[in-house]
């Protein structure tokens, strides 16, 4: 099941086995089901459907991902071993409707696993842009800011058309 951590970031607990360090742990471990949060957007709220990152930012993020993330999460964001996928149905089932700021915080505070918190804020924002591009969210003309509060006002849209 899911719970709200004290720091406001969603987390997942695998009861009786282990606590998953990542909110993106999606049922890869012991077949626990994914639950999407139902989210109602406030009028005028922004979503990733509006193109909240640039293609250039996603390309920078892909390079950072290759050096800092791919060893654990796979070259194609597919997940490896206990490291969850960062794209695909399970990832989207967990993250759709959630603030981009939560994903940014999770990456910037706890990744890479062997050196948590060592990515610079701009690098973490670039990796988020790469992940958004991988889940087919459109690019725009303005880069994602490397600011948790600003990113918290943007939701990952609930579903693609």
């Amino acid at each position: 099941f899911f719970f709200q951590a004290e720091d406001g970031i969603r987390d997942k607990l695998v009861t009786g086995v282990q606590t998953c360090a990542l909110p993106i742990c999606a049922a890869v471990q012991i077949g626990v089901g994914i639950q999407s949060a139902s989210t109602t957007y406030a009028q005028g709220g922004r979503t990733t459907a509006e193109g909240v990152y640039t293609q250039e930012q996603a390309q920078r993020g892909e390079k950072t991902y290759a050096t800092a993330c791919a060893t654990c999460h796979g070259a194609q964001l597919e997940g490896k071993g206990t490291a969850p996928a960062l794209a695909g149905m399970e990832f989207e089932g967990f993250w759709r409707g959630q603030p981009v700021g939560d994903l940014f915080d999770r990456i910037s505070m706890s990744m890479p696993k062997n050196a948590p918190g060592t990515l610079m804020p701009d690098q973490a924002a670039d990796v988020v842009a790469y992940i958004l591009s991988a889940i087919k969210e459109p690019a725009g003309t303005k880069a994602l800011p490397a600011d948790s509060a600003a990113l918290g006002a943007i939701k990952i849209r609930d579903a693609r058309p």
Side-chain angles (χ1 to χ4, degrees):
F1 69 97
F2 296 100
F3 68 96
Q4 189 73 20
E6 287 183 30
D7 61 2
I9 300 172
R10 286 179 70 196
D11 208 344
K12 181 177 179 177
L13 177 65
V14 180
T15 307
V17 178
Q18 72 185 75
T19 300
C20 185
L22 300 173
I24 44 186
C25 288
V28 203
Q29 302 167 351
I30 69 166
V32 175
I34 294 300
Q35 173 181 334
S36 277
S38 60
T39 304
T40 304
Y41 298 113
Q43 269 190 331
R46 293 183 66 200
T47 73
T48 53
E50 298 170 34
V52 297
Y53 67 92
T54 65
Q55 190 58 43
E56 295 79 20
Q57 185 178 33
Q59 290 168 344
R60 287 192 311 268
E62 183 175 15
K63 290 176 185 173
T64 300
Y65 178 88
T67 60
C69 313
T71 299
C72 294
H73 293 279
Q76 303 299 313
L77 298 100
E78 73 276 14
K80 288 172 56 178
T82 60
L86 300 178
M89 284 183 11
E90 291 176 350
F91 174 84
E92 291 184 45
F94 185 84
W95 282 101
R96 292 263 176 218
Q98 298 306 307
V100 174
D102 286 1
L103 180 57
F104 172 82
D105 287 344
R106 180 59 64 183
I107 291 168
S108 63
M109 288 186 236
S110 63
M111 294 292 124
K113 189 173 183 177
N114 64 343
T118 58
L119 290 178
M120 299 302 295
D122 286 341
Q123 291 175 304
D126 291 350
V127 170
V128 171
Y130 174 56
I131 292 169
L132 293 176
S133 73
I135 64 169
K136 308 294 187 221
E137 291 299 329
T141 58
K142 190 173 179 186
L144 278 175
D147 175 59
S148 180
L151 294 173
I154 305 168
K155 301 278 187 180
I156 299 172
R157 70 171 147 172
D158 277 329
R160 281 181 275 142

